[in-house]
Amino acid sequence: MNATTREQAETKVAAMAANLNDEALCLAWMATEDKPATKELAIVRGWLMDELHRRLGDDLFDEWLMAVDENGDAPNPLAFFA
C-alpha cells in the first residue's frame, strides 16, 4: 500500500469512526479487548483511540487511560462520557 492509499484509507476510517455514536464507539473499543495482538489490531485500536481522544478531550482521555477496574482491567470508556 502506498502512502496516498494509506492516507485515503485512514481518512475514510476516521470519518467512519466519527459517525459512530459514543456507545457504538465504546463497544467497538471493547470488542478489541482480549484479542491476540496483531499489527492490524494495533492499527484499528489506534484509530479508535484517536476518536476517543477527540471526543473525551485531553484530561478525560488521560484519566481513562490511567484507570483500572476492580479486576485490574481498563474500564469501558463509555463511563467517561458525560
Side-chain angles (χ1 to χ4, degrees):
M1 178 180 290
N2 64 39
T4 302
T5 304
R6 187 178 316 112
E7 289 173 10
Q8 290 171 337
E10 289 177 5
T11 300
K12 185 174 181 177
V13 170
M16 290 169 55
N19 285 329
L20 296 173
N21 64 32
D22 294 342
E23 183 177 4
L25 178 62
C26 293
L27 285 172
W29 173 262
M30 296 304 291
T32 68
E33 291 284 302
D34 300 324
K35 301 289 186 210
T38 64
K39 181 178 178 181
E40 293 79 12
L41 181 63
I43 291 168
V44 169
R45 285 175 64 94
W47 289 332
L48 294 173
M49 287 183 78
D50 288 346
E51 184 61 22
L52 286 164
H53 187 209
R54 188 186 70 75
R55 293 186 194 190
L56 289 171
D58 291 338
D59 292 339
L60 283 175
F61 183 75
D62 288 346
E63 187 177 329
W64 168 64
L65 285 178
M66 299 304 293
V68 291
D69 65 15
E70 60 277 357
N71 298 320
D73 297 322
N76 185 332
L78 190 58
F80 292 83
F81 284 88

